[in-house]
Amino acid sequence: MIRINLLPVREIKRRNKAKKELTTAALAVALFIALLTAFSVYQIMVVKGLKSDLTDLQTQKSQHDARLKEIKKLEEEKALLLTRIGVIEQLKKSASVTVHVLDDVALRTPSDRIWLTDLSQNGNQIQVNGMSLDNQTVAKYMVDLEGSPYMENLVLVKSDMKKYADRDLKAFTITSSIVVPEQQDQVPVTAQ
């Protein structure tokens, strides 16, 4: 007996195979969608964490900004105080300059050859008026005054003959700029 299978076996196998492929594809797509969903959830959590970190950092920044403003204010106050201290130190240096200038002029004036008639100060300029026996004495006196650490730019403004007590004497006027030397520990020059 011959048996004939009227059932479409090939068709059924093909359908089963197509169902398996469709099921596999559907599972692959479902797995892909699940992976994308998991990755999206992970990315959302990362973004939330970063936003939280950003908020914390902005809070810390605002706290540090307040401290930085305070530090800047203190630095400005420090600079102002240092400027004031510098001015005070400069005033201390220049307060005794006039006394030193007078002392230098007195020490450097030979009492037997030069007689001072007037000494005046106007700001940082000093003017010395006097009488001398001759021009060489005036020249040596100017060289001696140039050795003073408190005087510079000496200029002989005027020199002329003048009669005093029946003697011909040289009347002179010398001007000079007053300076504050860098070191106050200058040793005064003794008269020669």
Side-chain angles (χ1 to χ4, degrees):
M1 162 159 136
I2 298 185
R3 281 183 154 200
I4 298 179
N5 189 358
L6 296 177
L7 291 174
V9 174
R10 287 185 184 170
E11 183 69 27
I12 293 173
K13 283 183 180 179
R14 197 174 43 135
R15 281 185 190 170
N16 283 339
K17 187 177 178 184
K19 281 183 185 179
K20 281 183 183 179
E21 287 178 359
L22 188 60
T23 306
T24 305
L27 283 175
V29 169
L31 182 62
F32 181 71
I33 291 174
L35 286 175
L36 282 179
T37 304
F39 185 71
S40 297
V41 168
Y42 172 75
Q43 289 296 327
I44 290 171
M45 291 174 62
V46 167
V47 168
K48 283 184 181 178
L50 290 175
K51 284 183 179 178
S52 173
D53 290 347
L54 179 64
T55 304
D56 291 343
L57 289 174
Q58 286 175 340
T59 304
Q60 289 177 5
K61 181 184 176 271
S62 65
Q63 291 172 352
H64 291 304
D65 284 343
R67 289 183 186 146
L68 286 174
K69 285 180 184 177
E70 186 176 333
I71 289 171
K72 186 176 180 181
K73 181 180 175 185
L74 290 174
E75 286 176 348
E76 289 172 356
E77 289 177 7
K78 178 183 175 184
L80 179 65
L81 289 175
L82 288 176
T83 303
R84 288 179 181 174
I85 288 172
V87 169
I88 290 170
E89 287 176 358
Q90 186 64 32
L91 287 174
K92 281 182 180 179
K93 279 184 181 179
S94 64
S96 61
V97 170
T98 302
V99 174
H100 287 291
V101 169
L102 290 175
D103 186 41
D104 273 1
V105 168
L107 288 174
R108 295 170 193 274
T109 303
S111 61
D112 58 339
R113 301 194 54 83
I114 292 181
W115 300 272
L116 299 181
T117 58
D118 183 42
L119 187 99
S120 60
Q121 179 183 353
N122 185 11
N124 67 341
Q125 293 289 320
I126 188 168
Q127 180 174 324
V128 179
N129 296 321
M131 297 205 291
S132 168
L133 295 177
D134 54 23
N135 284 334
Q136 291 80 10
T137 305
V138 174
K140 182 174 181 336
Y141 183 54
M142 285 184 67
V143 169
D144 290 344
L145 287 178
E146 284 178 346
S148 170
Y150 297 96
M151 299 174 76
E152 67 178 21
N153 302 326
L154 273 83
V155 176
L156 179 63
V157 176
K158 178 175 85 171
S159 174
D160 53 0
M161 291 298 287
K162 195 172 196 180
K163 200 107 166 124
Y164 186 76
D166 293 329
R167 290 187 76 180
D168 287 333
L169 298 175
K170 277 290 195 189
F172 63 88
T173 300
I174 300 172
T175 61
S176 171
S177 298
I178 299 174
V179 293
V180 179
E182 290 300 316
Q183 292 182 341
Q184 281 288 48
D185 301 333
Q186 299 289 334
V187 178
V189 177
T190 57
Q192 296 176 354

